[in-house]
């Protein structure tokens, strides 16, 4: 599936939440690719923008183009190696905020469904109990009404599109999701209502525990920016 009419926001060029000699934490805007796409018109990305200011910066993990929020980049290879290992071993903490379609029947829950690429419809993912890789998401309803709910999502694994497919699987697609939302859920917001609001990890060099929080640019019944 091609990226249609790619027009990432120009301001802010990128928003720095924290920076030291070893790493930088950014609040990525919705609509901006984390890394460059293959086509020339898809080269603009968070990676490209940050490297223009910090030439040694490298991507450690990714956020979907439509997802906003916290992402960390390494500024040297040793930090990159150690941060990558921490993400691989699930030694980081992450939480997301999402507006989803409909009213949730419970206050908390977990979704344990294996995921695999829906190859004919890539980059879409799908649930596959035979071939899929394990994927686990915990969720908590923050507030809800008849039409939609605001939920906190905590992924244990980090599969592609995990939160989007998992919420779809229980009948509550994320609003504004151009890949997975049905017509009503898609029309409810101008952008994907998914934001990486919290990120925690141990600093690879100082061994200090770091936790960053970044408020979502949307709330219940508030059109996303």
């Amino acid at each position: 599936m091609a990226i249609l009419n790619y027009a990432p926001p120009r301001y802010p060029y990128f928003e720095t939440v924290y920076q030291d000699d070893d790493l930088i934490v950014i609040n990525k805007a919705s609509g901006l690719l984390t890394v460059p796409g293959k086509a020339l018109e898809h080269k603009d990305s968070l990676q490209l923008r940050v490297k223009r200011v910090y030439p040694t910066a490298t991507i450690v993990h990714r956020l979907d183009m439509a997802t906003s929020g916290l992402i960390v980049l390494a500024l040297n290879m040793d930090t990159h190696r150690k941060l990558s290992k921490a993400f691989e071993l699930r030694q980081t903490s992450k939480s997301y905020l999402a507006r989803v379609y409909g009213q949730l029947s419970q206050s908390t829950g977990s979704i344990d469904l294996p995921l695999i690429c829906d190859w004919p419809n890539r980059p879409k993912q799908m649930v596959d109990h035979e071939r899929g890789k394990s994927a686990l998401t915990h969720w908590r309803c923050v507030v809800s009404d008849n039409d939609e709910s605001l939920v906190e999502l905590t992924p244990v694994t980090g599969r592609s599109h995990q939160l989007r497919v998992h919420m779809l699987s229980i009948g509550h697609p994320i609003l504004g999701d151009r890949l997975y939302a049905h017509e009503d859920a898609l029309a409810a917001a101008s952008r994907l209502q998914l934001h990486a609001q919290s990120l925690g990890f141990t600093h690879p060099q100082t061994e200090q525990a770091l936790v960053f929080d970044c408020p979502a640019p949307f709330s219940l019944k508030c059109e996303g920016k």
Side-chain angles (χ1 to χ4, degrees), residues 15-30:
E15 180 184 344
T16 302
V17 175
Y18 173 84
Q19 186 257 324
D20 61 27
D21 292 339
D22 301 296
L23 57 88
I24 182 169
V25 178
I26 301 291
N27 176 22
K28 189 188 82 69
S30 173

Side-chain angles (χ1 to χ4, degrees), residues 2-225:
I3 302 172
L4 300 177
N5 302 317
Y6 181 52
R10 301 297 300 175
Y11 182 83
Y13 194 60
F14 63 83
E15 180 184 344
T16 302
V17 175
Y18 173 84
Q19 186 257 324
D20 61 27
D21 292 339
D22 301 296
L23 57 88
I24 182 169
V25 178
I26 301 291
N27 176 22
K28 189 188 82 69
S30 173
L32 178 65
L33 288 165
T34 297
V35 298
K38 293 181 180 179
L40 182 62
E41 59 268 28
H42 301 150
K43 293 301 181 184
D44 189 11
S45 62
L46 181 67
Q47 176 180 282
L48 182 67
R49 292 183 182 189
V50 175
K51 283 183 76 69
R52 283 176 174 162
V53 182
Y54 302 95
T56 62
T58 53
I59 296 290
V60 176
H61 63 121
R62 301 186 187 189
L63 292 176
D64 293 343
M65 180 183 74
T67 303
S68 60
L70 295 168
I71 184 169
V72 59
L73 292 83
L75 296 180
N76 55 66
M77 291 310 298
D78 187 54
T79 296
H80 184 275
R81 179 179 59 82
K82 290 177 178 177
L83 277 177
S84 296
K85 194 67 173 180
F87 275 90
E88 179 186 342
L89 297 177
R90 301 175 190 172
Q91 295 171 341
T92 62
S93 62
K94 295 177 286 184
S95 73
Y96 295 71
L97 200 67
R99 286 173 67 206
V100 302
Y101 184 81
Q103 185 175 32
L104 291 158
S105 59
Q106 300 173 238
S107 58
T108 62
S110 296
I111 306 166
D112 187 359
L113 293 172
L115 302 176
I116 194 173
C117 180
D118 183 1
W119 194 249
N121 300 302
R122 58 190 183 278
K124 293 182 71 174
Q125 309 291 309
M126 64 180 183
V127 174
D128 190 314
H129 291 280
E130 294 183 357
R131 299 172 298 153
K133 294 183 179 179
S134 62
L136 175 61
T137 301
H138 302 306
W139 61 266
R140 178 181 68 87
C141 184
V142 178
V143 63
S144 181
D145 65 16
N146 292 329
D147 301 318
E148 63 181 76
S149 301
L150 191 68
V151 295
E152 181 185 65
L153 302 172
T154 304
V156 177
T157 50
R159 308 301 179 198
S160 181
H161 296 184
Q162 175 176 318
L163 303 179
R164 300 162 74 173
V165 178
H166 272 178
M167 294 312 296
L168 174 68
S169 73
I170 61 171
H172 298 282
I174 299 175
L175 302 184
D177 192 336
R178 296 182 182 180
L179 285 179
Y180 301 104
H182 52 65
E183 185 176 353
D184 289 343
L186 178 60
S190 61
R191 56 149 286 192
L192 177 69
Q193 301 290 277
L194 180 63
H195 178 77
Q197 66 171 357
S198 178
L199 175 64
F201 55 88
T202 299
H203 194 291
Q205 307 302 335
T206 67
E207 299 187 355
Q208 178 185 1
L210 299 176
V211 179
F212 303 97
D213 294 289
C214 182
F218 53 80
S219 60
L220 194 68
K221 290 297 185 184
C222 174
E223 181 61 24
K225 295 180 181 179

